[in-house]
Amino acid sequence: DADVTQTPRNRITKTGKRIMLECSQTKGHDRMYWYRQDPGLGLRLIYYSFDVKDINKGEISDGYSVSRQAQAKFSLSLESAIPNQTALYFCATSDLGLAGDYNEQFFGPGTRLTVL
Amino acid sequence: GDSVTQMEGPVTLSEEAFLTINCTYTATGYPSLFWYVQYPGEGLQLLLKATKADDKGSNKGFEATYRKETTSFHLEKGSVQVSDSAVYFCALSGLGADKLIFGTGTRLQVFP
């Protein structure tokens, strides 16, 4: 079974609809992240969380909200979807390295969202 | 702020050709540097990393050396295969090691 799972894998919705993307992990990591990927722009960070009580905005948080329901679950919501939120969305997890430095991130398979 | 610049793609090569994908960075302090790879239809996965100057990261025949003097972390492979076709992302860990900053990605296409 995959360590980081995302649901749904594909979603088509209409402008103005509320959408929730879910992420679950079995790696036991405290840190979780949401990114969006757009052609030519790479990955941009939307929100990140270092534990259940910690939520931080990334570089493009406007129009999005998140919920960390448990260590293993981190959901991304679009309260009122708009067409320029059409993108590929990735969840990732990580933990600190033994020396307190940065450790690699593990990515889910992505959710392709289309807003019409 | 911190940033990563990668060469634009696509990079198109024949099988067994030599690969270089350029990556330069701007950062405060001494970040860790990473190359991630994204195969078609999948999420990103770590390819290699280097945590201090002059370190060389290597994996699956790919190599990259952390060059502080030129603020670069170029990815190289001596002989590419069709199965190496993917998008490659250079990234650095920001000050405080709390998140990654990614480049825009470089698509590699290898033909038989």
Side-chain angles (χ1 to χ4, degrees), chain A residues 90-116:
Chain A
F90 287 103
C91 174
T93 74
S94 76
D95 217 338
L96 282 176
L98 292 176
D101 59 356
Y102 193 86
N103 219 359
E104 72 173 284
Q105 291 189 9
F106 295 85
F107 284 78
T111 294
R112 185 167 297 280
L113 176 65
T114 303
V115 183
L116 301 177

Side-chain angles (χ1 to χ4, degrees), chain A residues 15-108:
Chain A
T15 298
K17 293 292 187 181
R18 184 178 187 273
I19 295 296
M20 178 180 286
L21 309 182
E22 299 186 341
C23 176
S24 295
Q25 53 115 345
T26 59
K27 300 192 73 67
H29 289 166
D30 286 328
R31 298 182 168 196
M32 298 187 73
Y33 307 79
W34 275 105
Y35 295 90
R36 65 175 280 174
Q37 182 180 17
D38 299 276
L41 296 177
L43 270 74
R44 293 181 292 167
L45 184 62
I46 306 172
Y47 272 95
Y48 61 105
S49 168
F50 285 173
D51 65 39
V52 175
K53 297 180 181 179
D54 176 77
I55 301 290
N56 304 280
K57 292 183 177 180
E59 61 179 306
I60 54 162
S61 58
D62 288 348
Y64 301 94
S65 63
V66 291
S67 173
R68 185 80 184 267
Q69 300 95 324
Q71 186 204 36
K73 296 185 182 296
F74 192 37
S75 299
L76 176 72
S77 293
L78 288 67
E79 296 300 326
S80 180
I82 56 176
N84 76 359
Q85 292 178 312
T86 293
L88 190 54
Y89 290 84
F90 287 103
C91 174
T93 74
S94 76
D95 217 338
L96 282 176
L98 292 176
D101 59 356
Y102 193 86
N103 219 359
E104 72 173 284
Q105 291 189 9
F106 295 85
F107 284 78

Side-chain angles (χ1 to χ4, degrees), chain A residues 33 35 45 102 105, chain B residues 34 36 91-94 98-102:
Chain A
Y33 307 79
Y35 295 90
L45 184 62
Y102 193 86
Q105 291 189 9
Chain B
F34 305 82
Y36 279 79
L92 64 82
S93 62
D98 56 356
K99 53 185 178 288
L100 284 176
I101 296 167
F102 286 90

